[in-house]
Amino acid sequence: MSETRVFIRNLELPAHIGVYRQEVGRTQKVRINVDLATDDIADAQDMLENVVDYHAVEKRIRAIIAEGHVRLAETLAERIAAACFEDARVRTVRVRVEKLEALTAAESVGIEIERTR
């Protein structure tokens, strides 16, 4: 079976995330990467509705973050993966969530998950 990959790379957003006292009540930057394996469409007929729309995925991610404080990066990643599966053409989702301000000596920390329908 062939597939198409749709991806979003290095989406940086302010998020309320974290379990530590200094993280609660303030935003910190997160970097999100999403990679979707989708049903292959041999001829999309140059029509947006015939493909998985990365703009719609970005809107879902922004809506999840706007819902409020999340304690764990794992929770955020799982919510993003679930939102991606709202499009029935998505077969596999890989989500990476990085916190950019968690450790002073590291560029980022985070997690990556992969889920298959």
Side-chain angles (χ1 to χ4, degrees):
M1 182 167 105
S2 61
E3 65 184 18
T4 298
R5 294 268 177 190
V6 176
F7 60 88
I8 296 175
R9 295 284 178 263
N10 300 324
L11 177 63
E12 290 189 12
L13 299 170
H16 289 274
I17 188 169
V19 297
Y20 298 108
R21 184 177 38 203
Q22 66 269 22
E23 295 176 307
V24 177
R26 72 172 193 90
T27 61
Q28 58 182 304
K29 283 198 302 187
V30 294
R31 180 184 301 134
I32 298 169
N33 286 272
V34 177
D35 190 321
L36 310 174
T38 70
D39 291 339
D40 195 24
I41 298 173
D43 182 10
Q45 300 174 353
D46 206 27
M47 303 289 292
L48 182 60
E49 60 268 13
N50 292 337
V51 297
V52 175
D53 180 3
Y54 53 78
H55 182 66
V57 173
E58 180 207 14
K59 285 176 61 176
R60 288 185 194 119
I61 293 168
R62 288 180 181 274
I64 290 165
I65 288 176
E67 289 173 358
H69 190 86
V70 175
R71 292 174 47 86
L72 299 175
E74 291 83 351
T75 303
L76 180 56
E78 291 290 353
R79 289 179 183 173
I80 292 169
C84 291
F85 281 132
E86 290 175 12
D87 189 316
R89 296 168 293 191
V90 174
R91 296 289 161 234
T92 302
V93 177
R94 181 179 297 134
V95 179
R96 176 181 290 198
V97 174
E98 297 173 81
K99 293 169 62 176
L100 305 181
E101 302 167 2
L103 297 177
T104 57
E107 179 182 327
S108 67
V109 299
I111 59 98
E112 182 174 276
I113 63 167
E114 184 170 325
R115 301 292 177 258
T116 301
R117 188 183 296 275

